[in-house]
Amino acid sequence: MIQNPILPGFNPDPSICRVGDEYFIATSTFEWYPGVQIHRSKDLVNWDLACRPLSRAAQLDMRGNPDSGGIWAPCLSYADGLFWLVYTDVKRLDGNFKDAHNYIVTAPSIEGPWSDPIYVNSSGFDPSLFHDADGRKYFMNVQWNHVSNSVGGHPKHPAFDGILLQEWHPEQGLIGEVKNVFPGSSHGLTEAPHVFTRNGYYYLTTAEGGTGYEHTVTLARSRDIWGPYEVHPDLHVLTAKEAPDNALQRVGHGQIVDTPEGEFYHTFLCSRPLPGRFSPMGRETGIAKVEWREDDWLYLSGGGMAPALTEVPPVVAERRSVVATETNFEGADLPDEFQWLRTPYPERIFQLTGSALRLIGRESIGSWFEQSLVARRQEHAVYRAKTTIAEFAPTTYQQAAGLTTYYNRHKFHALMISRDGKGGRVLSIQSCAGDWPDGALSFPGEVIPLSDGAVDLAVSVDHDRQQFYYRQAGDWLPIGPSLDASVISDEGGRGEHASFTGAFVGVVAFDQTGQGRSADVTRFRYAPEGS
């Protein structure tokens, strides 16, 4: 069976395309470098990382991007012997303005090489590229209206000011008139346009209602790509907004794909909120089987609009078992599950020495520019992570390194090795439990003196609680109180409409003196419940 979410713990805005008998899904990772991940599958059940196409400074530099900025809604397609990836780099999130720049990169195969970006426009976000049967190409995106009183989507119009469409040519760029072809439905907050054709219709699928619990997939169609578009008789194809008990919530924003067997599926963004409605795994990628009916409209197979936890795959496949992952960082490359924040120059913040991951202390935890934090996504409600800081010799309390559960600059817990005011090496917890916008720290629990040498650090997360542990030549010992893990979620702190990335767990170092004090990490293990 296909188990939703099909990409657990991976960020959403899923764009899907099929090339032959292979499916490819592009998802955003926002300000986590390299911004986009593309996964591949032959059965819609098991997915492997195919590539991270934006891997160098010429393609993407997110230093200074705000939390939950960066890459929004990448769109992947295949035409003319090339993969085409369209993406937005969001430089401002707050207030009336959205500074959102749209680009296109291409590659002859999914592994690359991916081209330098072609700039397209900055009129809004969620770009998409449609390849028509006559060879013409069309670019679309949300038009963002900053001259409005709907900051934060209240009221729902007019900041989300319809879907813009314009012809685009690989050599000439945007050509001809730009037209607002779809103002959206009464549900509002219309975004994420994708066009496909069938039986003489152009179908426009959009996301509406925002990425919270009112989220939807809204479908419209027209005989002409330029419109006018009529909306689906049920307005929405997928949503859980009227199904508060459905296991998958916040359903919306996806794309349609057909199979070689002639079936159809629709990807979607979703979350698996835990009791109390908090989503530590963030917005994840799901898929639902859909069907065409006699009226030439698309419907969720089996009826209703809320997708299920399982779907029947197009071919027989067995899902892989849940396993723990562990690395000793002895290779030349960072393991695929790890990412870092914003910078296209990772050698400034970490190095692989052949025996360790060397974190080079830069700016503070939560910096938008140069932060030495290497982490992996939380994919499970219950897990244990542990690491070994083999070598770290701070000379001042302004230098620290350790283990963190991290969402963004105002939502994290960190178990840090540092120095106290008397010059002794110590271990303590530094937390920011959702304090937005100030990001004030708290220091729960005691300060533990440490001797020289390696220190093992661990964290156990169980739904809405987490506990740090440490050991140094002895048994594991708890440190500090049980902490609120629910704040390390989309809904924590500032809330879901400004928090898109999901939770991470990883290692971090900073050096407020500017001297770049390093810490060597020789082990990291992530063990989900049942592994």
Side-chain angles (χ1 to χ4, degrees):
M1 299 295 288
I2 303 175
Q3 179 69 46
N4 276 319
I6 55 174
L7 294 175
F10 282 89
N11 273 299
D13 302 347
S15 172
I16 190 169
C17 71
R18 178 174 64 87
V19 181
D21 63 351
E22 279 196 295
Y23 305 93
F24 300 91
I25 287 182
T27 62
S28 57
T29 62
F30 300 98
E31 74 272 21
W32 286 88
Y33 212 87
V36 174
Q37 297 191 143
I38 298 177
H39 286 76
R40 72 197 313 164
S41 174
K42 286 195 173 184
D43 53 26
L44 296 179
V45 175
N46 297 301
W47 293 84
D48 296 303
L49 181 64
C51 67
R52 289 172 170 163
L54 307 179
S55 59
R56 57 185 186 271
Q59 297 169 316
L60 184 64
D61 187 342
M62 297 188 290
R63 288 174 296 178
N65 283 18
D67 293 328
S68 293
I71 301 301
W72 285 11
C75 174
L76 182 68
S77 58
Y78 185 82
D80 309 325
L82 292 172
F83 284 94
W84 303 74
L85 181 69
V86 186
Y87 61 96
T88 305
D89 182 9
V90 177
K91 299 295 187 184
R92 176 173 173 170
L93 178 62
D94 292 338
N96 280 55
F97 289 101
K98 294 282 188 293
D99 291 315
H101 310 306
N102 297 317
Y103 303 91
I104 298 173
V105 293
T106 62
S109 73
I110 202 68
E111 292 85 4
W114 289 88
S115 69
D116 283 347
I118 302 169
Y119 171 75
V120 182
N121 66 19
S122 300
S123 55
F125 48 88
D126 288 5
S128 182
L129 185 65
F130 172 68
H131 312 270
D132 210 345
D134 62 3
R136 300 169 79 177
K137 301 182 187 300
Y138 297 87
F139 193 89
M140 65 199 78
N141 58 269
V142 179
Q143 178 169 243
W144 182 257
N145 181 2
H146 72 279
V147 189
S148 73
N149 63 348
S150 60
V151 174
H154 303 288
K156 293 182 177 180
H157 290 300
F160 289 76
D161 200 17
I163 304 302
L164 297 183
L165 179 72
Q166 190 171 6
E167 190 173 352
W168 183 85
H169 190 276
E171 283 79 42
Q172 301 174 51
L174 293 170
I175 56 177
E177 180 186 5
V178 57
K179 182 179 179 182
N180 193 323
V181 295
F182 185 59
S185 79
S186 58
H187 193 48
L189 302 177
T190 308
E191 55 189 339
H194 294 289
V195 166
F196 63 99
T197 56
R198 186 177 186 272
N199 290 350
Y201 283 107
Y202 290 89
Y203 289 88
L204 174 63
T205 180
T206 65
E208 292 194 308
T211 58
Y213 291 88
E214 294 293 309
H215 206 197
T216 68
V217 170
T218 300
L219 189 64
R221 72 183 184 189
S222 173
R223 292 290 186 182
D224 189 319
I225 193 171
W226 296 100
Y229 283 87
E230 60 171 326
V231 296
H232 193 285
D234 294 337
L235 190 58
H236 311 305
V237 177
L238 297 172
T239 185
K241 69 184 182 71
E242 304 297 336
D245 295 328
N246 197 60
L248 301 177
Q249 290 292 314
R250 303 162 70 190
V251 171
H253 194 139
Q255 196 172 12
I256 298 164
V257 69
D258 64 341
T259 74
E261 295 76 24
E263 298 174 329
F264 287 84
Y265 289 82
H266 203 302
T267 58
F268 56 88
L269 173 163
C270 66
S271 77
R272 293 174 287 165
L274 300 176
R277 279 205 164 184
F278 69 98
S279 307
M281 279 77 75
R283 308 186 311 172
E284 304 178 282
T285 295
I287 198 166
K289 192 173 184 180
V290 290
E291 61 189 26
W292 295 99
R293 298 184 184 167
E294 292 182 357
D295 59 0
D296 270 333
W297 283 107
L298 198 66
Y299 297 84
L300 181 63
S301 292
M305 295 184 189
L309 280 172
T310 59
E311 292 284 352
V312 178
V315 296
V316 177
E318 183 175 343
R319 190 172 176 87
R320 297 169 187 153
S321 59
V322 176
V323 296
T325 58
E326 183 169 354
T327 179
N328 56 15
F329 300 108
E330 291 181 350
D333 300 310
L334 192 67
D336 285 340
E337 65 265 29
F338 290 98
Q339 291 181 259
W340 62 95
L341 283 162
R342 296 181 176 86
T343 179
Y345 302 108
E347 66 277 6
R348 287 270 306 162
I349 60 172
F350 68 84
Q351 297 169 359
L352 289 157
T353 67
S355 60
L357 169 66
R358 179 163 293 164
L359 300 175
I360 305 167
R362 298 297 182 190
E363 294 174 337
S364 64
I365 184 170
S367 169
W368 285 357
F369 290 86
E370 200 169 50
Q371 179 186 165
S372 184
L373 193 162
V374 174
R376 55 153 298 146
R377 295 184 179 281
Q378 178 180 342
E379 298 180 38
H380 307 84
V382 181
Y383 74 89
R384 183 178 175 92
K386 54 187 177 181
T387 190
T388 299
I389 310 295
E391 186 174 335
F392 180 56
T395 60
T396 168
Y397 64 83
Q398 290 185 304
Q399 298 165 341
L403 175 68
T404 182
T405 55
Y406 185 89
Y407 195 106
N408 58 28
R409 70 191 303 177
H410 60 92
K411 295 191 283 191
F412 64 84
H413 301 301
L415 180 58
M416 305 296 284
I417 303 167
S418 188
R419 287 274 171 184
D420 62 15
K422 300 177 182 178
R425 203 166 73 134
V426 296
L427 184 66
S428 64
I429 298 172
Q430 301 179 14
S431 290
C432 185
D435 186 66
W436 183 86
D438 291 339
L441 287 178
S442 61
F443 306 93
E446 65 274 38
V447 176
I448 302 295
L450 294 174
S451 60
D452 293 338
V455 185
D456 294 326
L457 308 176
V459 63
S460 291
V461 174
D462 186 348
H463 296 85
D464 64 342
R465 306 307 301 175
Q466 71 168 72
Q467 178 68 56
F468 281 120
Y469 298 86
Y470 78 101
R471 70 179 177 185
Q472 195 175 29
D475 296 330
W476 285 105
L477 298 172
I479 178 171
S482 172
L483 299 172
D484 181 8
S486 70
V487 74
I488 317 296
S489 71
D490 284 9
E491 294 88 345
R494 188 180 178 188
E496 59 176 327
H497 291 290
S499 298
F500 305 152
T501 62
F504 283 71
V505 58
V507 288
V508 62
F510 62 80
D511 186 347
Q512 295 283 274
T513 73
Q515 302 306 303
R517 176 70 60 170
S518 65
D520 281 6
V521 181
T522 55
R523 181 192 186 199
F524 192 93
R525 176 180 171 84
Y526 175 90
E529 183 180 40
S531 63

